[in-house]
Amino acid sequence: MPDHASPATRSVTPGASTTSATSATSATSATTKSAPAPSRLRTVIGTGVGNALEWYDWNVYAIFTPFFASQFFPSADPTSALLSTLAIFAVGFLMRPLGGLVFGRLSDRKGRRAAMVGSIALAAAGSLLIGLAPTYATIGVGASALLVFARLVQGLAHGGELPAAQTYVAEMAPRERRGLWSSLIYISGTCGIMVATVLAAVLASFLSEDQLHAWGWRVPFIIGGLLGLYALIMRLRLEETDAFEKQADTPDHEPHTSVWRGFWENRAACMRVIGLTLGGTVVYYTWAVSAPAQAISLKGIDASAALWAGVLANLVFLVTLPLFGALSDRVGRKPILYGSYIGGAVLAFPLNWFIQDQAWQLAVSMTTAMLFMSAGAAITPAVFAEMFPTRLRTTGVGFPYAIAVAACGGSAPYLQTWLTSTGKGDLFLGYTVVLLLLALAVVHRMPETKNTDLT
């Protein structure tokens, strides 16, 4: 089958009639819609809590970097310690492609639930390790090594978490409401970020700066580990998706087909995942994750006020996600993606220049940036799932997505901090705009995927 064939065309098995394909789709949709409420609730909670933990972990690390950097590296040079800690933030992303490959393959061969259970167990372990790790003053360079190891574990887990969760939700959703259902990924993720940000704001309000540096930073990591254990229990109760079970039962199912062959056969879709992710991940980690920490460290904005500004921006992001998801089910995926990437590119420079030394400026810029960001974020899980056949859906999304995030997302906070501190912040903004324009080119060339059958 040619690479430029649409996902809908690719999903129909050769020799099957259009009528039978339509009937199967209707049956699947009916099964999903008629699922009992407790089953739907388990799907939402089990998927949502685990996905929220991933975003919570990464946001906690980014927010609390100024407070625990000196605990894992020599404190004589605070700027060097901060950059070293941000570098480890980026190193964690290097494991994401491996995680996407390992857990993606597990998901496509053994089921979505198996991958989601394994990823959440590793994520919880990594969070607990950071929260309980001894400091540099206690064991010297061993503390730095433990931090690196914990971040590598989390990177491996989170590399598999997002694509497995995206695939699970997309396959559980009714076809005509897949955009709305897929917004659950970023809704739950944003809830994780908001919990982390609110917790940070509360700790900053009630603890002194010395207490935050000494032990306060440990609290959110320990909470993250406990949250992961709860998510693990919930995921053990999840049902497998109909799409996976049906393709596993087909006579021509090939569970041991080479994953590299699958990538080659779906290379156009893999490249689209990378192209759509590069700009989005830089914008996301710049605004939703690291903006408060950047404002505190480089702009001198009060820590508590900056964190509450982040809460407000994420609340707007959270509220608009299902609206854009539902809208995409009516007008299509491409118009929503166009608006998201064009808005991000046009506003990149003005929103950054607007932030000076006041928390309200940060709040306005973050809220505006995240409003446009929510349009693309809400529907990319659906768009990605609609690009691939069931046998490669998780791996096909997870591996190229993780490569893009590792290349540009993980390095974004470090690159922005370094360039801004040397007076070259506009170079980072130009870099962001170029990536967003690349995403626009991908959207222009890709087929519309709304109403694609996931078979």
Side-chain angles (χ1 to χ4, degrees):
M1 185 71 68
D3 289 318
H4 59 269
S6 71
T9 302
R10 207 173 47 234
S11 66
V12 179
T13 304
S17 68
T18 304
T19 301
S20 61
T22 303
S23 300
T25 300
S26 301
T28 301
S29 180
T31 300
T32 304
K33 285 193 260 189
S34 62
S39 177
R40 292 196 298 269
L41 184 62
R42 282 197 300 270
T43 297
V44 171
I45 295 178
T47 306
V49 173
N51 188 57
L53 175 63
E54 175 193 355
W55 302 55
Y56 172 93
D57 281 346
W58 295 95
N59 199 43
V60 159
Y61 190 99
I63 289 176
F64 283 88
T65 291
F67 302 113
F68 70 80
S70 60
Q71 300 294 318
F72 290 96
F73 295 94
S75 58
D77 186 351
T79 300
S80 177
L82 175 63
L83 288 173
S84 297
T85 311
L86 286 175
I88 293 179
F89 180 81
V91 166
F93 282 82
L94 297 179
M95 292 296 287
R96 285 196 171 214
L98 179 59
L101 188 61
V102 171
F103 286 102
R105 192 59 171 159
L106 177 64
S107 173
D108 290 334
R109 292 181 61 179
K110 301 298 183 181
R112 316 313 188 196
R113 190 183 72 160
M116 293 167 66
V117 167
S119 66
I120 201 64
L122 276 184
S127 187
L128 284 174
L129 180 57
I130 295 176
L132 300 175
T135 65
Y136 186 89
T138 304
I139 62 172
V141 72
S144 306
L146 279 176
L147 181 62
V148 171
F149 176 74
R151 291 301 291 175
L152 292 177
V153 168
Q154 287 184 318
L156 181 68
H158 297 328
E161 166 61 30
L162 188 61
Q166 287 182 166
T167 300
Y168 186 82
V169 170
E171 291 181 350
M172 292 293 286
R175 182 184 62 177
E176 66 277 8
R177 299 180 65 191
R178 192 178 297 133
L180 174 61
W181 274 56
S182 291
S183 67
L184 169 65
I185 296 300
Y186 277 83
I187 288 174
S188 59
T190 304
C191 286
I193 284 184
M194 289 186 65
V195 169
T197 307
V198 169
L199 179 58
V202 169
L203 290 174
S205 299
F206 289 94
L207 297 180
S208 68
E209 188 167 336
D210 288 342
Q211 289 173 320
L212 284 172
H213 280 279
W215 58 268
W217 62 269
R218 294 184 183 274
V219 174
F221 289 104
I222 294 174
I223 290 176
L226 298 177
L227 180 66
L229 295 178
Y230 171 74
L232 176 62
I233 294 173
M234 292 301 300
R235 287 190 167 181
L236 288 170
R237 301 173 59 196
L238 290 178
E239 300 173 358
E240 190 53 77
T241 69
D242 287 342
F244 176 81
E245 291 185 337
K246 287 181 178 180
Q247 67 92 30
D249 291 338
T250 56
D252 59 346
H253 175 52
E254 299 179 65
H256 300 292
T257 299
S258 168
V259 67
W260 306 113
R261 176 183 170 187
F263 285 147
W264 178 251
E265 292 174 348
N266 295 271
R267 56 191 179 278
C270 291
M271 294 306 296
R272 292 187 191 114
V273 171
I274 292 175
L276 292 176
T277 301
L278 289 175
T281 191
V282 169
V283 172
Y284 187 84
Y285 279 99
T286 297
W287 287 107
V289 176
S290 68
Q294 295 284 335
I296 295 169
S297 300
L298 301 176
K299 298 290 185 178
I301 295 177
D302 175 72
S304 178
L307 292 170
W308 284 115
V311 172
L312 174 63
N314 276 285
L315 181 60
V316 172
F317 185 70
L318 180 68
V319 170
T320 55
L321 282 168
L323 303 181
F324 283 118
L327 183 60
S328 78
D329 288 327
R330 296 177 62 87
V331 304
R333 316 301 188 209
K334 293 181 68 171
I336 305 299
L337 293 175
Y338 274 128
S340 179
Y341 295 132
I342 290 174
V346 170
L347 294 174
F349 280 89
L351 292 180
N352 277 273
W353 290 339
F354 186 71
I355 303 173
Q356 298 299 319
D357 56 358
Q358 299 295 319
W360 70 268
Q361 298 165 344
L362 174 66
V364 170
S365 290
M366 283 189 69
T367 300
T368 304
M370 293 178 68
L371 176 63
F372 282 94
M373 189 195 316
S374 68
I379 65 172
T380 47
V383 173
F384 289 165
E386 290 161 349
M387 290 180 180
F388 293 91
T390 299
R391 64 181 176 80
L392 191 74
R393 184 162 293 127
T394 310
T395 313
V397 173
F399 188 59
Y401 173 86
I403 289 176
V405 173
C408 295
S411 62
Y414 182 92
L415 187 61
Q416 184 184 27
T417 300
W418 175 60
L419 289 174
T420 303
S421 65
T422 58
K424 300 176 182 177
D426 285 353
L427 287 179
F428 179 81
L429 300 180
Y431 162 72
T432 302
V433 171
V434 169
L435 293 179
L436 289 172
L437 293 178
L438 173 62
L440 278 171
V442 172
V443 174
H444 179 69
R445 294 180 61 85
M446 67 182 279
E448 175 59 63
T449 60
K450 183 173 85 78
N451 290 331
T452 298
D453 296 335
L454 300 188
T455 55

